[in-house]
Amino acid sequence: MSNENSMKKTKIITSTLFLLLLMIAVACKPKEKTDSLAIGTKDNHAKMMDILFTPPKVPIKKIGVLLYDGYNTLDAVGPYHTLSEIMGAKTYFVAKKRGLVKNMNGMQIKVDSSFADVKSLDILVIPGGAKETILLTQDTETLNWIKEIDKTTQYTASVCTGSWVLGATGLLKGKKVTSNWYRGEEMMKRYGATFQEQRYVKDGKYWTSAGVSAGIDMSLAMIDDLLGRKYTEAVMLDLEYDPKPPYNAGTPKKSDPMVAEMMKQMYDMLMLPLIEKTKPKN
């Protein structure tokens, strides 16, 4: 074989090996992560603005959270914080009179809006509490204000035992509702409503949630109803709302039976005498 032929053969083999190695390298190369902000920037920006400025299915401009001495902090503050993420809406606390209002542990919040100041709302949220909440079911001024505001709302909502107050107005009669697990069915029956053991329940424009932390879930569901999934996911991400409790508990059925009975007896000691005292006379 001549040197020339030998060199040609060597070149062919070398080229073939190079091409094979190149094909293997391309096939095995890890795919680079696509930077969504680097590709189609203008298009992505427009899509982001569409999410951020999603128009609600009904106009929401004013959101009021009722406060009264003895309210449960998270009942009020959870929905207040969550619903304040609705773009273009003003969220504020309302009380019978302006001034300092104490939660059940004595923490004070200065409320700048009174019943006299607030004549209409798009969303009203009524938080729960304990003994003071039961007394509020007998407060004619508060009940009348709720009924008047309800004439203008797109959503009227309650958290925990706040449904007892909303129920006392008569607005929940014939509605499917939920409430705090403690004597929830008994109390809702008192007001002509049908209790459902759910995290939150929507019946028409009325939204009710189970106890305390459930008000956040209800508020997110309200945002979803108004603005859709992407906007709701944005709110959840802003809150970093991804709960992971240490135990699968938190309801009577999920809790240790001894724990559930203990808590019921504790609540009975605190609240049952007043519940019986305020029971409507047939």
Side-chain angles (χ1 to χ4, degrees), residues 195-218:
F195 176 78
Q196 296 192 324
E197 197 173 334
Q198 301 291 336
R199 188 72 170 161
Y200 55 85
V201 172
K202 177 183 183 294
D203 191 337
K205 75 170 189 174
Y206 297 100
W207 292 74
T208 53
S209 85
V212 194
S213 63
I216 297 174
D217 289 359
M218 178 188 72

PDB file of all heavy atoms in Angstrom, residues 195-218:
ATOM      1  N   PHE A 195     -75.026  22.795  58.789  1.00  0.00           N
ATOM      2  CA  PHE A 195     -73.593  22.707  59.046  1.00  0.00           C
ATOM      3  C   PHE A 195     -72.952  21.628  58.178  1.00  0.00           C
ATOM      4  O   PHE A 195     -73.467  20.533  58.034  1.00  0.00           O
ATOM      5  CB  PHE A 195     -73.345  22.380  60.520  1.00  0.00           C
ATOM      6  CG  PHE A 195     -71.899  22.182  60.874  1.00  0.00           C
ATOM      7  CD1 PHE A 195     -71.058  23.273  61.034  1.00  0.00           C
ATOM      8  CD2 PHE A 195     -71.374  20.905  61.023  1.00  0.00           C
ATOM      9  CE1 PHE A 195     -69.719  23.095  61.367  1.00  0.00           C
ATOM     10  CE2 PHE A 195     -70.037  20.715  61.353  1.00  0.00           C
ATOM     11  CZ  PHE A 195     -69.211  21.821  61.524  1.00  0.00           C
ATOM     12  N   GLN A 196     -71.802  21.965  57.596  1.00  0.00           N
ATOM     13  CA  GLN A 196     -71.009  21.014  56.827  1.00  0.00           C
ATOM     14  C   GLN A 196     -69.588  21.002  57.376  1.00  0.00           C
ATOM     15  O   GLN A 196     -68.999  22.062  57.596  1.00  0.00           O
ATOM     16  CB  GLN A 196     -71.000  21.393  55.345  1.00  0.00           C
ATOM     17  CG  GLN A 196     -72.380  21.312  54.700  1.00  0.00           C
ATOM     18  CD  GLN A 196     -72.311  21.408  53.192  1.00  0.00           C
ATOM     19  OE1 GLN A 196     -71.488  22.127  52.642  1.00  0.00           O
ATOM     20  NE2 GLN A 196     -73.173  20.682  52.511  1.00  0.00           N
ATOM     21  N   GLU A 197     -69.065  19.820  57.585  1.00  0.00           N
ATOM     22  CA  GLU A 197     -67.731  19.677  58.159  1.00  0.00           C
ATOM     23  C   GLU A 197     -66.688  19.849  57.059  1.00  0.00           C
ATOM     24  O   GLU A 197     -66.109  18.889  56.567  1.00  0.00           O
ATOM     25  CB  GLU A 197     -67.600  18.308  58.832  1.00  0.00           C
ATOM     26  CG  GLU A 197     -66.430  18.205  59.789  1.00  0.00           C
ATOM     27  CD  GLU A 197     -66.425  16.896  60.565  1.00  0.00           C
ATOM     28  OE1 GLU A 197     -67.508  16.301  60.747  1.00  0.00           O
ATOM     29  OE2 GLU A 197     -65.333  16.479  60.986  1.00  0.00           O
ATOM     30  N   GLN A 198     -66.463  21.102  56.684  1.00  0.00           N
ATOM     31  CA  GLN A 198     -65.533  21.434  55.613  1.00  0.00           C
ATOM     32  C   GLN A 198     -64.601  22.554  56.068  1.00  0.00           C
ATOM     33  O   GLN A 198     -64.885  23.275  57.027  1.00  0.00           O
ATOM     34  CB  GLN A 198     -66.297  21.895  54.369  1.00  0.00           C
ATOM     35  CG  GLN A 198     -67.276  20.881  53.814  1.00  0.00           C
ATOM     36  CD  GLN A 198     -66.586  19.678  53.198  1.00  0.00           C
ATOM     37  OE1 GLN A 198     -65.423  19.759  52.786  1.00  0.00           O
ATOM     38  NE2 GLN A 198     -67.282  18.562  53.111  1.00  0.00           N
ATOM     39  N   ARG A 199     -63.490  22.693  55.363  1.00  0.00           N
ATOM     40  CA  ARG A 199     -62.533  23.761  55.677  1.00  0.00           C
ATOM     41  C   ARG A 199     -63.174  25.132  55.429  1.00  0.00           C
ATOM     42  O   ARG A 199     -62.987  26.067  56.196  1.00  0.00           O
ATOM     43  CB  ARG A 199     -61.287  23.579  54.814  1.00  0.00           C
ATOM     44  CG  ARG A 199     -60.123  24.488  55.155  1.00  0.00           C
ATOM     45  CD  ARG A 199     -59.458  24.108  56.439  1.00  0.00           C
ATOM     46  NE  ARG A 199     -58.204  24.844  56.638  1.00  0.00           N
ATOM     47  CZ  ARG A 199     -57.600  24.981  57.805  1.00  0.00           C
ATOM     48  NH1 ARG A 199     -58.118  24.447  58.886  1.00  0.00           N
ATOM     49  NH2 ARG A 199     -56.471  25.645  57.890  1.00  0.00           N
ATOM     50  N   TYR A 200     -63.903  25.247  54.347  1.00  0.00           N
ATOM     51  CA  TYR A 200     -64.690  26.446  54.078  1.00  0.00           C
ATOM     52  C   TYR A 200     -65.839  26.056  53.163  1.00  0.00           C
ATOM     53  O   TYR A 200     -65.786  25.049  52.443  1.00  0.00           O
ATOM     54  CB  TYR A 200     -63.849  27.578  53.458  1.00  0.00           C
ATOM     55  CG  TYR A 200     -63.116  27.185  52.203  1.00  0.00           C
ATOM     56  CD1 TYR A 200     -63.731  27.237  50.953  1.00  0.00           C
ATOM     57  CD2 TYR A 200     -61.791  26.745  52.256  1.00  0.00           C
ATOM     58  CE1 TYR A 200     -63.057  26.870  49.804  1.00  0.00           C
ATOM     59  CE2 TYR A 200     -61.112  26.382  51.116  1.00  0.00           C
ATOM     60  CZ  TYR A 200     -61.745  26.445  49.884  1.00  0.00           C
ATOM     61  OH  TYR A 200     -61.078  26.069  48.748  1.00  0.00           O
ATOM     62  N   VAL A 201     -66.893  26.853  53.199  1.00  0.00           N
ATOM     63  CA  VAL A 201     -68.094  26.562  52.409  1.00  0.00           C
ATOM     64  C   VAL A 201     -68.568  27.860  51.757  1.00  0.00           C
ATOM     65  O   VAL A 201     -68.606  28.914  52.399  1.00  0.00           O
ATOM     66  CB  VAL A 201     -69.227  25.981  53.285  1.00  0.00           C
ATOM     67  CG1 VAL A 201     -70.524  25.862  52.488  1.00  0.00           C
ATOM     68  CG2 VAL A 201     -68.828  24.626  53.852  1.00  0.00           C
ATOM     69  N   LYS A 202     -68.941  27.770  50.497  1.00  0.00           N
ATOM     70  CA  LYS A 202     -69.531  28.898  49.769  1.00  0.00           C
ATOM     71  C   LYS A 202     -70.965  28.554  49.416  1.00  0.00           C
ATOM     72  O   LYS A 202     -71.229  27.502  48.851  1.00  0.00           O
ATOM     73  CB  LYS A 202     -68.735  29.178  48.494  1.00  0.00           C
ATOM     74  CG  LYS A 202     -69.311  30.284  47.613  1.00  0.00           C
ATOM     75  CD  LYS A 202     -68.493  30.429  46.346  1.00  0.00           C
ATOM     76  CE  LYS A 202     -68.980  31.568  45.469  1.00  0.00           C
ATOM     77  NZ  LYS A 202     -70.337  31.343  44.913  1.00  0.00           N
ATOM     78  N   ASP A 203     -71.897  29.423  49.760  1.00  0.00           N
ATOM     79  CA  ASP A 203     -73.294  29.263  49.364  1.00  0.00           C
ATOM     80  C   ASP A 203     -73.784  30.618  48.890  1.00  0.00           C
ATOM     81  O   ASP A 203     -74.059  31.518  49.684  1.00  0.00           O
ATOM     82  CB  ASP A 203     -74.145  28.772  50.543  1.00  0.00           C
ATOM     83  CG  ASP A 203     -75.544  28.339  50.093  1.00  0.00           C
ATOM     84  OD1 ASP A 203     -76.003  28.809  49.025  1.00  0.00           O
ATOM     85  OD2 ASP A 203     -76.174  27.536  50.792  1.00  0.00           O
ATOM     86  N   GLY A 204     -73.851  30.765  47.570  1.00  0.00           N
ATOM     87  CA  GLY A 204     -74.173  32.074  47.021  1.00  0.00           C
ATOM     88  C   GLY A 204     -73.026  33.031  47.305  1.00  0.00           C
ATOM     89  O   GLY A 204     -71.864  32.727  47.073  1.00  0.00           O
ATOM     90  N   LYS A 205     -73.351  34.187  47.851  1.00  0.00           N
ATOM     91  CA  LYS A 205     -72.301  35.156  48.165  1.00  0.00           C
ATOM     92  C   LYS A 205     -71.769  34.990  49.584  1.00  0.00           C
ATOM     93  O   LYS A 205     -70.876  35.726  50.009  1.00  0.00           O
ATOM     94  CB  LYS A 205     -72.805  36.587  47.967  1.00  0.00           C
ATOM     95  CG  LYS A 205     -73.746  37.096  49.038  1.00  0.00           C
ATOM     96  CD  LYS A 205     -73.953  38.601  48.841  1.00  0.00           C
ATOM     97  CE  LYS A 205     -74.701  39.217  50.008  1.00  0.00           C
ATOM     98  NZ  LYS A 205     -74.781  40.683  49.885  1.00  0.00           N
ATOM     99  N   TYR A 206     -72.308  34.005  50.305  1.00  0.00           N
ATOM    100  CA  TYR A 206     -71.902  33.802  51.695  1.00  0.00           C
ATOM    101  C   TYR A 206     -70.788  32.755  51.800  1.00  0.00           C
ATOM    102  O   TYR A 206     -70.922  31.640  51.300  1.00  0.00           O
ATOM    103  CB  TYR A 206     -73.107  33.413  52.554  1.00  0.00           C
ATOM    104  CG  TYR A 206     -74.137  34.517  52.582  1.00  0.00           C
ATOM    105  CD1 TYR A 206     -75.272  34.461  51.778  1.00  0.00           C
ATOM    106  CD2 TYR A 206     -73.958  35.649  53.372  1.00  0.00           C
ATOM    107  CE1 TYR A 206     -76.202  35.498  51.766  1.00  0.00           C
ATOM    108  CE2 TYR A 206     -74.879  36.689  53.377  1.00  0.00           C
ATOM    109  CZ  TYR A 206     -75.987  36.605  52.568  1.00  0.00           C
ATOM    110  OH  TYR A 206     -76.895  37.649  52.551  1.00  0.00           O
ATOM    111  N   TRP A 207     -69.717  33.156  52.427  1.00  0.00           N
ATOM    112  CA  TRP A 207     -68.562  32.284  52.646  1.00  0.00           C
ATOM    113  C   TRP A 207     -68.372  32.108  54.145  1.00  0.00           C
ATOM    114  O   TRP A 207     -68.379  33.091  54.900  1.00  0.00           O
ATOM    115  CB  TRP A 207     -67.291  32.914  52.070  1.00  0.00           C
ATOM    116  CG  TRP A 207     -67.248  33.014  50.585  1.00  0.00           C
ATOM    117  CD1 TRP A 207     -67.948  33.890  49.801  1.00  0.00           C
ATOM    118  CD2 TRP A 207     -66.440  32.248  49.691  1.00  0.00           C
ATOM    119  NE1 TRP A 207     -67.628  33.722  48.481  1.00  0.00           N
ATOM    120  CE2 TRP A 207     -66.701  32.714  48.385  1.00  0.00           C
ATOM    121  CE3 TRP A 207     -65.507  31.220  49.871  1.00  0.00           C
ATOM    122  CZ2 TRP A 207     -66.070  32.181  47.262  1.00  0.00           C
ATOM    123  CZ3 TRP A 207     -64.885  30.695  48.749  1.00  0.00           C
ATOM    124  CH2 TRP A 207     -65.164  31.164  47.465  1.00  0.00           C
ATOM    125  N   THR A 208     -68.194  30.878  54.576  1.00  0.00           N
ATOM    126  CA  THR A 208     -67.920  30.602  55.985  1.00  0.00           C
ATOM    127  C   THR A 208     -66.744  29.642  56.064  1.00  0.00           C
ATOM    128  O   THR A 208     -66.566  28.788  55.192  1.00  0.00           O
ATOM    129  CB  THR A 208     -69.136  29.973  56.691  1.00  0.00           C
ATOM    130  OG1 THR A 208     -69.582  28.824  55.948  1.00  0.00           O
ATOM    131  CG2 THR A 208     -70.286  30.963  56.801  1.00  0.00           C
ATOM    132  N   SER A 209     -65.936  29.811  57.097  1.00  0.00           N
ATOM    133  CA  SER A 209     -64.784  28.907  57.246  1.00  0.00           C
ATOM    134  C   SER A 209     -64.800  28.251  58.608  1.00  0.00           C
ATOM    135  O   SER A 209     -65.459  28.721  59.536  1.00  0.00           O
ATOM    136  CB  SER A 209     -63.459  29.672  57.055  1.00  0.00           C
ATOM    137  OG  SER A 209     -63.050  30.284  58.260  1.00  0.00           O
ATOM    138  N   ALA A 210     -64.048  27.184  58.713  1.00  0.00           N
ATOM    139  CA  ALA A 210     -63.861  26.512  60.000  1.00  0.00           C
ATOM    140  C   ALA A 210     -62.968  27.404  60.864  1.00  0.00           C
ATOM    141  O   ALA A 210     -62.795  28.589  60.592  1.00  0.00           O
ATOM    142  CB  ALA A 210     -63.254  25.133  59.777  1.00  0.00           C
ATOM    143  N   GLY A 211     -62.371  26.825  61.914  1.00  0.00           N
ATOM    144  CA  GLY A 211     -61.700  27.642  62.904  1.00  0.00           C
ATOM    145  C   GLY A 211     -60.397  28.294  62.481  1.00  0.00           C
ATOM    146  O   GLY A 211     -59.592  27.717  61.757  1.00  0.00           O
ATOM    147  N   VAL A 212     -60.211  29.515  62.914  1.00  0.00           N
ATOM    148  CA  VAL A 212     -58.963  30.273  62.968  1.00  0.00           C
ATOM    149  C   VAL A 212     -58.171  30.238  61.656  1.00  0.00           C
ATOM    150  O   VAL A 212     -58.373  31.075  60.793  1.00  0.00           O
ATOM    151  CB  VAL A 212     -58.099  29.795  64.160  1.00  0.00           C
ATOM    152  CG1 VAL A 212     -56.975  30.783  64.432  1.00  0.00           C
ATOM    153  CG2 VAL A 212     -58.940  29.631  65.418  1.00  0.00           C
ATOM    154  N   SER A 213     -57.245  29.291  61.504  1.00  0.00           N
ATOM    155  CA  SER A 213     -56.362  29.257  60.336  1.00  0.00           C
ATOM    156  C   SER A 213     -57.128  29.009  59.045  1.00  0.00           C
ATOM    157  O   SER A 213     -56.645  29.363  57.960  1.00  0.00           O
ATOM    158  CB  SER A 213     -55.281  28.187  60.507  1.00  0.00           C
ATOM    159  OG  SER A 213     -55.865  26.895  60.590  1.00  0.00           O
ATOM    160  N   ALA A 214     -58.317  28.430  59.132  1.00  0.00           N
ATOM    161  CA  ALA A 214     -59.113  28.149  57.930  1.00  0.00           C
ATOM    162  C   ALA A 214     -59.519  29.428  57.214  1.00  0.00           C
ATOM    163  O   ALA A 214     -59.845  29.407  56.022  1.00  0.00           O
ATOM    164  CB  ALA A 214     -60.361  27.343  58.296  1.00  0.00           C
ATOM    165  N   GLY A 215     -59.490  30.552  57.926  1.00  0.00           N
ATOM    166  CA  GLY A 215     -59.829  31.826  57.292  1.00  0.00           C
ATOM    167  C   GLY A 215     -58.869  32.194  56.177  1.00  0.00           C
ATOM    168  O   GLY A 215     -59.249  32.874  55.216  1.00  0.00           O
ATOM    169  N   ILE A 216     -57.618  31.732  56.275  1.00  0.00           N
ATOM    170  CA  ILE A 216     -56.649  31.993  55.207  1.00  0.00           C
ATOM    171  C   ILE A 216     -57.026  31.191  53.966  1.00  0.00           C
ATOM    172  O   ILE A 216     -57.020  31.706  52.841  1.00  0.00           O
ATOM    173  CB  ILE A 216     -55.227  31.645  55.672  1.00  0.00           C
ATOM    174  CG1 ILE A 216     -54.816  32.535  56.850  1.00  0.00           C
ATOM    175  CG2 ILE A 216     -54.233  31.778  54.518  1.00  0.00           C
ATOM    176  CD1 ILE A 216     -53.485  32.168  57.462  1.00  0.00           C
ATOM    177  N   ASP A 217     -57.372  29.920  54.159  1.00  0.00           N
ATOM    178  CA  ASP A 217     -57.796  29.079  53.026  1.00  0.00           C
ATOM    179  C   ASP A 217     -59.030  29.667  52.351  1.00  0.00           C
ATOM    180  O   ASP A 217     -59.129  29.713  51.121  1.00  0.00           O
ATOM    181  CB  ASP A 217     -58.097  27.659  53.504  1.00  0.00           C
ATOM    182  CG  ASP A 217     -56.844  26.892  53.892  1.00  0.00           C
ATOM    183  OD1 ASP A 217     -55.744  27.454  53.768  1.00  0.00           O
ATOM    184  OD2 ASP A 217     -56.966  25.738  54.337  1.00  0.00           O
ATOM    185  N   MET A 218     -59.987  30.089  53.164  1.00  0.00           N
ATOM    186  CA  MET A 218     -61.205  30.683  52.614  1.00  0.00           C
ATOM    187  C   MET A 218     -60.878  31.939  51.808  1.00  0.00           C
ATOM    188  O   MET A 218     -61.406  32.138  50.705  1.00  0.00           O
ATOM    189  CB  MET A 218     -62.181  31.034  53.739  1.00  0.00           C
ATOM    190  CG  MET A 218     -63.463  31.705  53.255  1.00  0.00           C
ATOM    191  SD  MET A 218     -64.502  32.309  54.613  1.00  0.00           S
ATOM    192  CE  MET A 218     -63.522  33.722  55.173  1.00  0.00           C
TER     193      MET A 218
END
